[in-house]
Amino acid sequence: MEINASYTSFVAIGDSFTEGMSDLLPDGSYRGWADLLAARLAARTPGFRYANLAVRGKLIGQIVDEQVDVAAAMQADVVTLVGGLNDTLRPTYDMGRVHGLLEEAVEKLAPSCKQLVLMRSPGRRGPVLKRFRPRMEELFTFVDELAARHGALVVDLYGSEALGDQRMWDVDRLHLTAEGHRRVAEAVWQTLGLGTEDDWQALLPPAVHPGWATRRVGDLRFARQYLGPWIGRRLTGRSSGDGRPAKRPELLPFKDPRS
């Protein structure tokens, strides 16, 4: 049963997860779950408007400074906020500061929209998730508390076995594939009270595991192309999003880039 079918505008804020990496379009831009969700909402609402202020690499402080006030001023029906996970991966992670900034963001956004949506982000099964699990779970517990206090919805992707499958993640091991983003869009769609169209938690067929040599080649490619540059940016205080503008900075009628 549909709870509300009258959403007329949507603003997404956050980091690379919401920008859409690594759901790559033919022109080299990224689509992602937020664009997919906007396309579905626009298909049922003439004049539907959409903005996506998310930029890869942003920490929660940058999201608050650069995106929150802009999003609040847009007075959209739906606002999604996903942030803080990049902070948990930093050696200088300050849990109290991150929680305080998240609370500041929610306090500004919740009164500005009809429905604020928060997330417990998915995690790729593997050593990175194992290492940072305590920080992530502390963050998600606080997200639940914020949602309860401010009437926000929470999309729980963290416990999804399907989204934890390594095949749902790109070769950089940090960002979802196109199929992963499609499933996140469906999860948000259902959380908004719209009709179920797919089982986003359906498991993939059993995996055929590559041999040892193939895995090692993949590990070396990952380290050279992704892990090394990521560490280099951390050591020099740079971010992949430095100087990069939001891909949809204004709340305008939605046009599907695939059309």
Side-chain angles (χ1 to χ4, degrees):
M1 176 181 294
E2 295 191 359
I3 299 173
N4 189 329
S6 62
Y7 301 120
T8 63
S9 53
F10 166 36
V11 177
I13 66 176
D15 51 34
S16 60
F17 175 68
T18 301
E19 184 185 343
M21 296 174 72
S22 290
D23 184 7
L24 195 63
L25 291 170
D27 66 357
S29 64
Y30 291 107
R31 181 176 53 182
W33 66 266
D35 283 14
L36 290 168
L37 178 65
R40 292 173 66 178
L41 292 169
R44 58 193 288 141
T45 307
F48 182 85
R49 296 175 300 150
Y50 169 51
N52 189 326
L53 309 180
V55 176
R56 66 195 71 173
K58 294 300 183 182
L59 302 173
I60 186 59
Q62 294 170 309
I63 293 171
V64 170
D65 290 343
E66 300 167 14
Q67 300 177 28
V68 168
D69 287 341
V70 177
M74 290 178 175
Q75 299 283 303
D77 283 355
V78 176
V79 173
T80 59
L81 164 63
V82 188
L85 205 58
N86 282 336
D87 297 80
T88 68
L89 303 178
R90 299 297 179 101
T92 56
Y93 174 63
D94 182 338
M95 181 183 68
R97 179 175 182 273
V98 170
H99 288 191
L101 288 165
L102 270 173
E103 186 160 21
E104 179 183 343
V106 169
E107 287 177 346
K108 290 181 177 180
L109 293 170
S112 76
C113 62
K114 289 185 178 179
Q115 185 59 68
L116 178 62
V117 179
L118 308 177
M119 284 193 197
R120 295 163 58 92
S121 304
R124 178 185 183 274
R125 288 195 293 271
V128 174
L129 177 62
K130 184 178 296 186
R131 177 180 179 183
F132 293 100
R133 184 187 298 275
R135 291 182 178 183
M136 294 169 64
E137 292 183 349
E138 286 177 340
L139 176 69
F140 297 152
T141 296
F142 188 67
V143 165
D144 289 341
E145 294 172 0
L146 283 176
R149 291 205 303 268
H150 294 277
L153 298 174
V154 178
V155 184
D156 187 7
L157 308 173
Y158 178 66
S160 169
E161 183 177 353
L163 287 177
D165 191 312
Q166 295 181 5
R167 292 171 290 174
M168 288 287 186
W169 297 78
D170 193 55
V171 292
D172 68 0
R173 305 183 184 182
L174 286 173
H175 301 107
L176 290 169
T177 62
E179 174 61 14
H181 280 284
R182 186 193 68 78
R183 292 182 181 230
V184 172
E186 176 67 22
V188 182
W189 177 270
Q190 293 180 21
T191 302
L192 286 170
L194 300 167
T196 299
E197 297 189 6
D198 193 13
D199 180 6
W200 65 271
Q201 299 208 62
L203 300 180
L204 295 176
V208 177
H209 296 288
W212 182 89
T214 301
R215 296 199 304 272
R216 295 295 77 78
V217 170
D219 289 342
L220 289 171
R221 183 179 66 169
F222 162 72
R224 182 177 64 254
Q225 294 184 359
Y226 301 104
L227 181 60
W230 184 85
I231 292 173
R233 290 194 298 271
R234 299 291 81 74
L235 292 175
T236 57
R238 294 177 293 117
S239 168
S240 57
D242 288 348
R244 182 176 295 274
K247 64 179 180 180
R248 294 177 179 268
E250 299 179 82
L251 187 62
L252 297 173
F254 177 79
K255 179 176 174 55
D256 192 331
R258 295 170 296 176
S259 61

